[in-house]
Amino acid sequence: DGGITQSPKYLFRKEGQNVTLSCEQNLNHDAMYWYRQDPGQGLRLIYYSQIVNDFQKGDIAEGYSVSREKKESFPLTVTSAQKNPTAFYLCASSIGAASTEAFFGQGTRLTVV
Amino acid sequence: GENVEQHPSTLSVQEGDSAVIKCTYSDSASNYFPWYKQELGKGPQLIIDIRSNVGEKKDQRIAVTLNKTAKHFSLHITETQPEDSAVYFCAASSMYNNNDMRFGAGTRLTVKP
């Protein structure tokens, strides 16, 4: 089955700690994205990558970092510099061409305790 | 950049009635308008999309209309069923850059049996 997988589904982090969210896809998509979702708001773009070893900041990149060492994988690190990290994080992928469908993972709910 | 506004934020209908969700966008270069359905605790899934070269698209009980002049597009769900209850997001993206996809804030649809 082709798809995009995020893990873990739930994640708890102590203040001051970095934490990494996993995103893997076997759709052979070139482009991958990370979005943050807060109640009552749309999806806001954190980072995106159009090709391996390249990525760009989205609208709310501060306090986050990513890597794209493999086509299939696009992990997101939430650093201690992110002041309000509690949110629902969504990873997506697409073939990369303009005006094409984005496929989303099931999301990771991060809670800072 | 693109700005997408979505209304209403919540919508409650009786089973069998129709539901309409409306979105406006600001960037005249946008040419791809997908609609996503998000069920509780899951990632969004594409339910229908429309490109700027057509004014309407229908898929069984779901239809989308686009008015390029007024820069608004709408989702229509007929004969609603309880399983249609979810959060619906509209989005718009530019023909020049799929990474410029912007999402509306979402509409929580509740279909009462």
Side-chain angles (χ1 to χ4, degrees):
Chain A
D1 257 348
I4 181 164
T5 303
Q6 290 185 241
S7 61
K9 189 170 182 179
Y10 299 97
L11 190 55
F12 296 88
R13 188 195 91 174
K14 292 183 179 179
E15 284 193 26
Q17 285 184 338
N18 292 355
V19 64
T20 298
L21 283 59
S22 170
C23 179
E24 304 275 334
Q25 54 97 1
N26 61 2
L27 300 166
N28 200 32
H29 285 169
D30 286 315
M32 296 187 75
Y33 315 82
W34 275 105
Y35 291 91
R36 171 178 171 142
Q37 185 175 23
D38 295 285
Q41 297 194 39
L43 282 63
R44 291 184 291 168
L45 184 64
I46 304 172
Y47 267 98
Y48 63 93
S49 168
Q50 295 206 11
I51 197 167
V52 174
N53 292 323
D54 183 62
F55 49 83
Q56 303 295 330
K57 292 182 179 180
D59 296 328
I60 55 165
E62 185 175 350
Y64 300 98
S65 66
V66 293
S67 63
R68 186 85 187 277
E69 297 177 0
K70 298 186 300 182
K71 187 176 186 178
E72 303 79 19
S73 179
F74 191 41
L76 173 74
T77 297
V78 184
T79 75
S80 56
Q82 170 50 237
K83 298 305 179 189
N84 185 22
T86 294
F88 190 53
Y89 291 87
L90 286 161
C91 180
S93 70
S94 73
I95 62 173
S99 305
T100 58
E101 176 184 0
F103 292 80
F104 284 86
Q106 296 292 291
T108 293
R109 183 165 299 282
L110 173 64
T111 303
V112 173
V113 296
Chain B
E2 176 65 274
N3 181 47
V4 178
E5 295 193 358
Q6 182 173 347
H7 300 280
S9 57
T10 60
L11 179 59
S12 181
V13 300
Q14 285 296 132
E15 183 176 359
D17 288 349
S18 295
V20 180
I21 302 170
K22 298 181 179 181
C23 288
T24 61
Y25 62 98
S26 61
D27 188 352
S28 56
S30 291
N31 71 331
Y32 177 61
F33 307 93
W35 284 90
Y36 287 86
K37 176 182 180 182
Q38 185 178 28
E39 297 178 343
L40 191 63
K42 297 184 178 180
Q45 281 196 302
L46 181 76
I47 55 171
I48 196 167
D49 57 12
I50 192 168
R51 300 179 191 277
S52 58
N53 58 342
V54 298
E56 184 173 359
K57 183 176 178 181
K58 189 173 181 180
D59 182 4
Q60 299 183 342
R61 296 186 297 108
I62 295 173
V64 58
T65 58
L66 171 65
N67 183 328
K68 285 175 56 181
T69 304
K71 295 197 188 74
H72 65 71
F73 56 112
S74 301
L75 177 71
H76 304 253
I77 306 174
T78 59
E79 300 171 25
T80 54
Q81 301 166 5
E83 50 265 39
D84 293 330
S85 297
V87 178
Y88 292 82
F89 290 97
C90 62
S93 72
S94 165
M95 67 180 82
Y96 302 110
N97 187 356
N98 193 48
N99 302 307
D100 200 28
M101 185 173 288
R102 292 291 186 264
F103 287 83
T107 296
R108 181 174 297 281
L109 173 64
T110 302
V111 180
K112 299 178 181 177

